[in-house]
Amino acid sequence: MTDSAPAAAPPPAAHRPATAVILAAGLGTRMKSDWPKVMHPLAGRPMLRYLIDNAAQVFDRIVVVIGPGMEQVAALAAPHATVIQHDRLGTAHAALQAADLFGTGDVAVLYGDNPLITADSMRRLLACRRQDGAGLALMALRPADPGRYGRVVTDDGTDGGLVQRIVEWADASDAERAVTLCNAGVLCAGAETFRGWLRAVRNDNAKGEYYLGDVVAMAVADGRQVRAVVAPEDELRGINSRAELALAEASVQRRLRHAAMAAGVTLVAPDTVFLAADTVLEPDVVVQPHVVFGPGVTVRRGVEIRAFSHLEGCVVEPDAVIGPYARLRPGAEIGTGAHVGNFVEIKAASLGAGAKANHLTYLGDAAIGAGTNVGAGTVTCNYDGVFKHRTTIGAGCFIGSDAILVAPVTIGDGALIAAGSVITQDVPADAMGIGRARQANKEGRAATLRAALDKKKKEQG
C-alpha cells in the first residue's frame, strides 16, 4: 500500500497591477522660467526624476502627462509612456488624458511638482486603497503651518477615520479651519472606477477648470469608503515658486546628509555641505565645512575633503587629501594617497598614487604619474585656441614652482623641471628640463631707475 500524495500547494494570489499617472504639464509660470517646472533641479537632478525613480519601485506602469512642446520632459520620462494634455484645463482633465493607459488594477495620480514622495509612502497609499471596502485613498499631511491648505474632514476627527469631505480654506468654517489634517491632492482608486469619476468631473467653477479634488466628493456620494494616508510634510511639499524650490532643496539636502552620515561618513558641519543626488561617499570619508559636490562624484574610503572645496564629475581614490580651496572638475581622477592642495584646479586629468599638487596650480588634460610632486604655480597649457592637447608627466618627477608646460609635451619618469621654466619640448626620463632666459644683473641700475622715476613724479605734480 503506498502513501497518499501530499496536498497541492494553493496557487499564488494573482498580482493586482498598479499604474502611476504623473501630472507634469505645468509651465512653471510662477517660477518666471522658460523651463518646464518639472525640469528644475534638486541636488543636481530634475525634480521629475525623483518621483519617477520612486514610483518605479512600487508601480507596474508609469504614465507621464506632459504639455505640447515638452520633448525634453518626454525624454526625461523615457522609457515610460507619455501622453499630451493639449489644453490645460485642470488636474482632472490632465489625468483623464491618460485614462486609456490605466489598464486594470489600481491607479494613483501623482504630481510632478510634488517630487519627494518616497516609495514607502507610495506603498502605504496603495495598501490603503486595497483594504477591504476602500474605494479611494488619498494622501494627507499635518504641516507645521496648515495655512491655506484644503482640510481633510474625517467622520471621527482622527487620521484613521473615513474621509467625509475636502474643504478648501476659502470655503471652510472656523471649526473646519481648526482641522490640521490637510489635503495633498494625491489619489488612488480602482482603474475603472477612477475613469468614471474623471469623466464625470464638471468645470462649473470660477476658473472653468476640471479639478481632481472633486473626485473625493464623488466617491463619498457613491457611498465608497475614502481613507487618508498621512505622510511627512517634507515629502508632500509642492513646488510652484523659486522660494518653494529652495525649501525642497533644503529637504533633499537633509535626506542626503543623513544618509551619508548613516553610511559612515563624517560631515564636520553638515548644514554647510551640499551633495548631489548621485554623490557616492564611502565609509570613513571626512568632509570639512563648506564643501560642494556637483553631479558625478565618487569618493573612496579614508579620503579627507577639506574646507571650501568644490568637486564635480570626478573620482577620488582611498586616503587622498583634497583641499582646502581645491576644485576638481569633470574627468579628474585622484589616485590613492594623493594630495590636492589649496587653490589647485584639476580638469580631465589623473593624479597618480601618492602624487602631490599642493599649491596654486592648474592641471588640465594631463596624466601625472605616481609619486610626482608638482610645485606651486605650475600650469599645463592645454588649449591653443582651437584644440585641447595633453601633458604626460611620468612617475617620481619633480616639477619646480612656476613651471609652464606647453602641451602636447611628455616629461619622462624621474625628470626634474627647473623652477620658472617654460617647457615646450619633451624631457627624457631622469633629465633636468630648464626653459628660462639667462639672468643678467646690472650693477647700480635700480638706484638710477628709482631716481629717474622720482624726478618724473615730481615734475608731474
Side-chain angles (χ1 to χ4, degrees):
M1 188 174 180
T2 60
D3 294 334
S4 59
H15 174 69
R16 182 176 176 83
T19 298
V21 175
I22 298 176
L23 307 186
L27 290 173
T29 305
R30 286 172 56 190
M31 300 186 82
K32 305 294 192 294
S33 176
D34 293 333
W35 284 11
K37 189 192 304 185
V38 296
M39 294 297 295
H40 285 265
L42 295 169
R45 175 181 291 171
M47 67 171 80
L48 178 61
R49 195 70 245 172
Y50 288 87
L51 196 59
I52 289 175
D53 290 348
N54 285 338
Q57 300 177 48
V58 180
F59 295 93
D60 302 283
R61 173 188 289 177
I62 296 173
V63 182
V64 181
V65 181
I66 64 175
M70 289 188 172
E71 290 80 9
Q72 66 217 84
V73 180
L76 182 64
H80 304 291
T82 56
V83 295
I84 298 175
Q85 183 189 22
H86 290 282
D87 299 305
R88 293 179 173 88
L89 301 178
T91 50
H93 178 263
L96 188 58
Q97 307 313 299
D100 290 344
L101 298 178
F102 280 9
T104 59
D106 298 304
V107 175
V109 177
L110 310 169
Y111 299 87
D113 60 2
N114 192 346
L116 301 183
I117 303 173
T118 63
D120 179 66
S121 291
M122 294 180 194
R123 291 188 188 97
R124 291 193 296 115
L125 178 72
L126 204 53
C128 180
R129 151 70 192 111
R130 290 172 175 176
Q131 289 178 6
D132 289 342
L136 179 71
L138 59 86
M139 276 195 164
L141 68 158
R142 290 193 180 276
D145 178 11
R148 292 178 174 267
Y149 276 105
R151 303 309 203 258
V152 179
V153 179
T154 62
D155 59 355
D156 61 2
T158 70
D159 296 355
L162 295 179
V163 176
Q164 293 182 316
R165 62 190 181 278
I166 305 295
V167 183
E168 295 305 319
W169 185 89
D171 301 323
S173 65
D174 289 343
E176 288 167 335
R177 289 181 181 179
V179 172
T180 58
L181 187 63
C182 298
N183 179 33
V186 174
L187 302 179
C188 184
E192 194 57 42
T193 308
F194 217 153
R195 283 193 198 95
W197 286 332
L198 289 172
R199 288 170 180 149
V201 172
R202 299 171 60 86
N203 68 337
D204 47 359
N205 53 65
K207 290 189 175 182
E209 294 187 357
Y210 299 88
Y211 294 130
L212 185 62
D214 291 352
V215 166
V216 176
M218 291 180 176
V220 173
D222 287 350
R224 307 299 293 274
Q225 289 188 6
V226 180
R227 297 186 178 276
V229 172
V230 180
E233 181 180 5
D234 274 358
E235 291 189 28
L236 298 177
R237 193 184 298 280
I239 301 173
N240 295 294
S241 66
R242 302 284 181 165
E244 290 173 347
L245 182 68
L247 290 173
E249 178 73 28
S251 294
V252 171
Q253 290 298 330
R254 281 193 295 271
R255 290 186 192 182
L256 294 172
R257 292 165 188 151
H258 178 79
M261 290 186 287
V265 175
T266 294
L267 304 182
V268 174
D271 288 348
T272 71
V273 174
F274 289 84
L275 303 164
D278 63 351
T279 301
V280 176
L281 302 177
E282 292 189 350
D284 293 323
V285 167
V286 176
V287 182
Q288 292 187 1
H290 301 289
V291 173
V292 176
F293 295 89
V297 175
T298 297
V299 181
R300 304 297 185 193
R301 288 177 176 267
V303 169
E304 181 180 3
I305 310 293
R306 294 178 175 168
F308 295 100
S309 295
H310 188 286
L311 295 80
E312 179 180 2
C314 61
V315 176
V316 183
E317 296 296 343
D319 302 317
V321 177
I322 307 298
Y325 295 97
R327 185 180 182 197
L328 303 185
R329 291 173 57 193
E333 299 177 3
I334 310 304
T336 300
H339 287 198
V340 178
N342 48 287
F343 304 105
V344 173
E345 178 180 351
I346 298 182
K347 187 274 294 183
S350 60
L351 197 62
K356 296 179 180 180
N358 278 328
H359 325 277
L360 303 160
T361 290
Y362 172 70
L363 301 174
D365 297 281
I368 295 91
T372 285
N373 187 89
V374 179
T378 296
V379 175
T380 58
C381 300
N382 56 325
Y383 185 47
D384 64 8
V386 179
F387 299 105
K388 297 289 181 70
H389 303 280
R390 288 193 66 79
T391 297
T392 300
I393 302 174
C397 294
F398 184 90
I399 311 298
S401 296
D402 265 347
I404 305 298
L405 309 178
V406 182
V409 68
T410 297
I411 312 298
D413 292 349
L416 188 153
I417 304 300
S421 292
V422 177
I423 301 298
T424 59
Q425 299 179 14
D426 292 352
V427 178
D430 293 319
M432 174 185 286
I434 305 174
R436 59 193 181 201
R438 184 179 297 277
Q439 181 173 324
N441 297 329
K442 305 295 184 180
E443 295 291 338
R445 182 66 61 84
T448 302
L449 179 59
R450 277 195 298 270
L453 291 173
D454 287 343
K455 181 180 179 182
K456 184 175 182 181
K457 184 175 182 181
K458 289 177 181 177
E459 289 172 349
Q460 291 179 350

